Amino acid sequence: MFRYPKGGEVMLPFQRHRRLRSSEAMRNLVRETHWSVNDLIYPMFVQEGLDGKEEIRSMPGVYHFGLDEFRREVNEVSELGVPAILLFGVPLHKDDLSTSAYHDHGVVQEAVRAAKQENPNLLVMTDVCLCQYNPSGHCGVVQDGKIVNDESLGLIAQTALSHAAAGADVVAPSDMMDGRVAAIRALLDENHLQDVVVLSYAVKYASAFYGPFREAAHSAPAFGDRRTYQMDPANLREALREAKSDIAEGADMLMVKPALSYMDVTKAVKEATDVPVGTYNVSAEYSMVKAASLQGWIDERAIVSEMLTSFKRSGADFILTYHAKDAAKWQRELRS
Ligand code: PBG
C-alpha cells in the first residue's frame, strides 16, 4: 500500500487512469470516437446571375458562387475527398408563390446539373425550402399574416421534385411544415424518383445561431419570427415526436440542427431511432469560431477538430459543416 513520504498514513486504493494516456500511440489505440472526411457534407450557396464569387461578410471563407465559379469549387471539394455538398439557392426573383424555388431552370436546379457534370460521384443534396424565394422570408406560404401549413406542402414537394429531376441524390426539407416528408415522398414516387433519398431536417430549433445564414441567403423573415414552425430550444421530448413522425412519413435520414448547443438532442434522437442521424453545425457556430480565430484568440484547427469529435461522440453519423474543406485539408496533412 502506498504511503505518504512523511506522514505514513494509508491512502485508499485508487485507479491509474493515466496509464492509458501515457503516449500518443496508447491514446490512439484506446480512442473511442473518430471523425473523418467521409462524415462531412459541405453546404454551398449558389447565386443566380452572379459572375465569379463573393465572400459572405459574416462568414469569412464562405462564398456566394456564380455558376462558373461553382463548377470550379465543386472540383476543389471533390479533389479534397469531401463526399457530399448541400446546395442553397439565392434567386434573382422572389414572389408570393416562390416560383423560382421549383423552376426547372432555377439556380439550384442548374447547380445540381453542373455539379453532376463536374463529378457524377459527388453526392448532391439540396435544401428544400421556400424562405429564400418569397418576399415574406418565411418557410411556408403566408395568408393573412399567418404561415399556413397545408397550403405550403404542394409547393415544397414541387421544389423537391424539381431538384430530384435535375439529378439531386438527396433532398433535404428544412421548412418544418407538418406533413412535408409525406408530401415529398409521394410526389417523388409518383414521378419514378423512388430512389431519391429524403433527409429530413426533422429536429430544427428556432435558433439565433442561423443569423449569419439569413444574411447569406437573404432569407430573414420580413415580419415575425419562425417560432410557430421551428422548435422551442427548451424541448427535447418534442424532438423525439418530430423524429418519429418524419420516419413514419418516409424520411430515410434525419438531422438535428443546430449542432453545438444540441448534442444532447442528437444523442437522444440517435438512441430513439434506427435511421442515420446527422447534425448541422450552423452558420453562427462557424462564424464564432472564425471570428475568434481571426483575432488570434483560439487555435481554429484544434477547436474544429474537437467540435467534430464531439458531434460524433454525441451520435451523429454525418455532419454538415462550413468547416468541411478545411477539415479535409487538415486530415490530409495529418496523413501525409
Ligand atoms: C432555410 C434554412 C436555414 C438554415 C438552413 N436552411 C435558415 C432558417 O431556417 O432560418 C440555417 C443554416 C445555417 O444557419 O447555417 N429554412
Side-chain angles (χ1 to χ4, degrees):
M1 177 61 69
F2 176 87
R3 283 172 187 279
Y4 288 110
K6 284 193 211 141
E9 304 134 79
V10 175
M11 233 174 103
L12 291 172
F14 60 89
Q15 297 259 329
R16 296 278 176 193
H17 299 291
R18 293 182 57 195
R19 276 183 201 133
L20 297 183
R21 301 175 199 144
S22 59
S23 66
E24 184 71 28
M26 185 64 81
R27 291 190 293 274
N28 289 343
L29 201 67
V30 302
R31 185 161 299 125
E32 298 175 31
T33 312
H34 302 264
W35 64 267
S36 95
V37 64
N38 293 325
D39 303 320
L40 306 180
I41 301 167
Y42 187 49
M44 296 178 70
F45 299 93
V46 281
Q47 183 171 334
E48 194 170 15
L50 179 68
D51 229 4
K53 64 177 184 179
E54 254 169 32
E55 194 169 36
I56 295 161
R57 194 184 53 87
S58 54
M59 301 175 74
V62 177
Y63 295 84
H64 286 130
F65 290 102
L67 267 186
D68 284 351
E69 245 344 281
F70 171 72
R71 286 179 185 269
R72 219 159 304 161
E73 185 75 356
V74 162
N75 284 303
E76 200 174 314
V77 169
S78 306
E79 208 271 322
L80 283 166
V82 176
I85 57 175
L86 173 76
L87 297 180
F88 293 98
V90 182
L92 278 174
H93 170 76
K94 301 187 192 227
D95 59 44
D96 289 341
L97 287 176
S98 302
T99 51
S100 317
Y102 42 89
H103 195 287
D104 280 343
H105 297 283
V107 63
V108 169
Q109 292 78 357
E110 292 298 341
V112 168
R113 291 185 193 100
K116 281 291 171 189
Q117 274 169 9
E118 296 301 320
N119 179 7
N121 296 321
L122 182 70
L123 280 176
V124 177
M125 311 186 170
T126 59
D127 181 270
V128 175
C129 199
L130 305 180
C131 61
Q132 294 105 289
Y133 303 91
N134 71 76
S136 81
H138 279 292
C139 304
V141 172
V142 177
Q143 283 174 2
D144 301 325
K146 287 212 164 67
I147 296 93
V148 288
N149 194 87
D150 298 17
E151 292 80 350
S152 305
L153 298 181
L155 302 188
I156 288 162
Q158 202 61 42
T159 303
L161 174 62
S162 71
H163 294 172
D169 301 287
V170 178
V171 290
S174 68
D175 52 281
M176 288 298 277
M177 298 299 123
D178 292 323
R180 79 273 174 76
V181 172
I184 290 171
R185 186 73 271 164
L187 194 62
L188 291 178
D189 291 358
E190 256 171 50
N191 287 276
H192 311 291
L193 289 162
Q194 66 281 348
D195 294 332
V196 172
V197 168
V198 177
L199 161 59
S200 175
Y201 287 68
V203 182
K204 179 173 176 183
Y205 288 93
S207 172
F209 285 95
Y210 309 147
F213 173 94
R214 292 184 189 163
E215 181 191 316
H218 307 301
S219 66
F223 68 91
D225 53 43
R226 302 214 201 286
R227 284 184 290 179
T228 65
Y229 43 107
Q230 298 179 350
M231 284 178 54
D232 183 337
N235 294 356
L236 173 64
R237 299 174 69 233
E238 186 183 359
L240 304 182
R241 297 203 293 278
E242 281 281 1
K244 284 176 186 161
S245 68
D246 279 3
I247 293 173
E249 288 179 32
D252 301 288
M253 310 194 281
L254 304 182
M255 193 199 297
V256 173
K257 176 183 173 192
L260 210 48
S261 292
Y262 298 87
M263 282 192 262
D264 56 329
V265 181
T266 302
K267 190 172 179 74
V269 170
K270 183 68 181 282
E271 283 171 356
T273 63
D274 58 4
V275 297
V277 175
T279 191
Y280 195 143
N281 179 209
V282 298
S283 54
E285 298 174 346
Y286 173 86
S287 301
M288 292 191 306
V289 169
K290 278 291 179 187
S293 168
L294 287 168
Q295 293 281 345
W297 292 341
I298 57 168
D299 176 344
E300 180 177 345
R301 184 170 167 161
I303 291 264
V304 171
S305 181
E306 189 172 327
M307 281 171 32
L308 295 177
T309 302
S310 304
F311 299 149
K312 293 291 288 184
R313 198 192 61 242
S314 71
D317 296 298
F318 54 91
I319 302 159
L320 295 112
T321 179
Y322 303 98
H323 297 292
K325 273 179 68 190
D326 288 337
K329 279 182 207 150
W330 298 329
Q331 206 166 52
R332 174 173 291 184
E333 279 166 29
L334 275 182
R335 275 198 309 268
S336 58

